[in-house]
Amino acid sequence: MDLSRPPRLPQLPRPPLPVFRGRLHDPRTATVIGRLLGAAILTAFVTGLISHYLQQPPGWAANLLPSRPSWGYRLTQGLHVASGIAAIPLLFAKLWTVYPRLFEWPPVRSVAHALERLSIGVLVGSVLLQLLTGLLNTLQWYPWPWNFRPAHWALAWVAMGALLVHIAVKAPQIAAHWQRPALDADGPDRRSFVAAVSAAVGAVTLTTVGQSFTPLKDFDLFAPRHPDHGPQGLPVNRTAAAAGITAERLTRWRLRVDGPRPYELTLDELRAMRQHSVMLPIACVEGWSKNAHWTGVRITDLLDRAGAPPGARLRVTSMQRHGAYAVMDMGTSYARDPLTLLALSLNGQTLALDHGFPARVIAPNRPGVLQTKWVERLEVL
Ligand SMILES: Nc1nc2c(c(=O)[nH]1)N[C@H]1C(S)=C(S)[C@@H](COP(=O)(O)O)O[C@H]1N2
Ligand SMILES: [Mo]
């Protein structure tokens, strides 16, 4: 018996599967669309890592996060959502190009072939789920029982792992089809297909990207937030009513600062302190962002007055009692940045109740979820 040859699988007769003759279901098209999709996925992955670590730094890094450039998170999160949206038509184009492989015969040729097909299943499933749940998240629609952020984080790694396996397996084809073929095999059919897919990507981008790239805000037809809609020219995610902030509670409001020398301030006392004005964006993780003028007291001044040591971190507590944004921690780099304010006014007016009256945090290069509204307590850690 010859042991060097693997046993042959019995040949099954081919069932009446569909036959595909279209030229565009070929590795060249798969490569051309694949590298656009790969670029979109890589952009979403890297900007997603940035967003994750800015929101949840490991303990040792909490004081090292950069508070500049002040527009950094606005840019990276705008790119995150835009590249995720652009990836959706690219993914469907790519699936259309390769779907005849589903009807391959025999379905499994070897163990390696079975593993490869399995990895494709994981890749397609995880990327589809990631892009569609991400899109629903930007619409603030959470029809699933699990917590979005940890699931989005875990699925990103599954998708990345499966993508790396896929690229490794397909490396020879990718290399062979990367360059435009010498004989002009890119005929008019392939060129029109790529043009149509690019037009679809352009259309979904143009009609949504204005939610963060404000020069294009007039084309923002489908994004859930329009940068101009909201009191004082700024969108509102959670209203005061939804957060349980009542007029009755506001009449008793005082800012309490806990540290080596604790103190309390009324709103008038805060207004009597040295005021500073900054231009900083709110950049929501869900993809909308907008610059605004904020005026208020520097957090670093409030910390000095409480006798906070230089490297101290800060805990900020909202009047809001429930929900993930009621308590927020801030590393030194943000707390000591002269742009970081306890803001009392927005675009020249006293903060609207929905924007966090009497006082809210505004800090540079930070996710919107950490720009706590209705602040009532600062605590030196
Ligand atoms: N206390 C509190 N602060 C909060 C929130 C909240 O729900 N509660 N929402 C955050 C989110 S998700 C964003 S994007 C910013 C900006 O939201 P706004 O425009 O509603 O102020 O506020 C943040 N501050
Ligand atoms: Mo947000």
Side-chain angles (χ1 to χ4, degrees):
M1 206 169 106
D2 182 0
L3 287 177
S4 67
R5 289 169 62 120
R8 284 182 60 122
L9 294 169
Q11 286 285 317
L12 298 173
R14 191 179 193 280
L17 294 172
V19 176
F20 298 86
R21 298 216 170 71
R23 196 175 71 96
L24 296 183
H25 300 298
D26 67 350
R28 167 74 181 153
T29 318
T31 305
V32 171
I33 301 291
R35 55 190 183 197
L36 294 173
L37 179 57
I41 288 179
L42 190 66
T43 306
F45 181 70
V46 172
T47 52
L49 288 184
I50 293 173
S51 185
H52 178 84
Y53 286 115
L54 285 183
Q55 286 177 70
Q56 256 184 358
W60 57 268
N63 277 338
L64 302 174
L65 298 182
S67 62
R68 303 299 173 93
S70 63
W71 40 263
Y73 187 74
R74 187 179 189 201
L75 177 73
T76 61
Q77 195 62 9
L79 277 174
H80 182 72
V81 172
S83 58
I85 291 175
I88 293 172
L90 289 169
L91 177 65
F92 285 121
K94 172 93 186 188
L95 291 178
W96 177 82
T97 305
V98 299
Y99 88 98
R101 305 289 295 272
L102 276 176
F103 304 98
E104 227 170 43
W105 198 263
V108 171
R109 286 193 303 272
S110 62
V111 174
H113 184 229
L115 286 177
E116 190 208 321
R117 295 203 83 180
L118 192 68
S119 80
I120 300 270
V122 173
L123 177 62
V124 173
S126 59
V127 173
L128 255 180
L129 196 61
Q130 187 76 331
L131 293 179
L132 296 180
T133 54
L135 182 70
L136 293 185
N137 177 268
T138 70
L139 304 170
Q140 298 199 327
W141 191 34
Y142 302 89
W144 47 80
W146 65 84
N147 189 331
F148 175 77
R149 251 182 50 206
H152 202 59
W153 172 247
L155 205 53
W157 289 101
V158 174
M160 263 333 218
L163 182 58
L164 288 180
V165 169
H166 179 61
I167 292 175
V169 168
K170 298 288 180 191
Q173 274 112 310
I174 296 172
H177 296 282
W178 191 268
Q179 302 282 330
R180 183 185 280 263
L183 289 172
D184 198 18
D186 277 351
D189 53 350
R190 186 165 8 247
R191 282 201 291 274
S192 334
F193 179 66
V194 173
V197 173
S198 307
V201 170
V204 295
T205 303
L206 186 66
T207 52
T208 53
V209 79
Q211 65 177 320
S212 58
F213 186 61
T214 33
L216 290 180
K217 66 183 182 189
D218 289 343
F219 299 99
D220 172 10
L221 300 174
F222 298 128
R225 288 285 184 290
H226 191 287
D228 288 346
H229 297 172
Q232 303 176 325
L234 198 68
V236 166
N237 260 6
R238 182 165 286 120
T239 61
I245 310 297
T246 58
E248 198 270 318
R249 293 179 64 199
L250 285 168
T251 54
R252 285 180 276 120
W253 186 87
R254 295 261 192 298
L255 177 72
R256 165 148 197 95
V257 185
D258 280 321
R261 293 196 300 273
Y263 58 92
E264 284 193 359
L265 295 172
T266 63
L267 184 53
D268 284 335
E269 287 167 333
L270 262 175
R271 286 185 178 133
M273 285 181 71
R274 185 144 171 232
Q275 304 290 301
H276 296 269
S277 287
V278 300
M279 168 92 144
L280 284 179
I282 292 277
C284 181
V285 294
E286 285 145 11
W288 64 269
S289 61
K290 190 167 185 208
N291 254 332
H293 286 282
W294 307 90
T295 304
V297 180
R298 279 185 178 153
I299 297 267
T300 182
D301 292 347
L302 293 166
L303 290 183
D304 285 343
R305 186 161 166 172
R313 293 195 306 125
L314 177 63
R315 176 158 298 162
V316 177
T317 309
S318 170
M319 292 173 75
Q320 182 182 353
R321 285 286 166 268
H322 304 286
Y325 313 141
V327 178
M328 173 274 282
D329 284 358
M330 186 185 259
T332 325
S333 50
Y334 294 106
R336 294 299 186 175
D337 191 304
L339 291 180
T340 302
L341 300 185
L342 188 67
L344 307 176
S345 83
L346 161 58
N347 291 334
Q349 296 168 0
T350 301
L351 273 181
L353 188 51
D354 284 343
H355 282 306
F357 176 84
R360 85 172 300 163
V361 165
I362 184 77
N365 195 28
R366 274 202 121 189
V369 290
L370 303 177
Q371 312 279 28
T372 309
K373 304 197 277 190
W374 313 292
V375 171
E376 68 174 4
R377 183 161 176 233
L378 305 181
E379 191 185 342
V380 176
L381 297 181

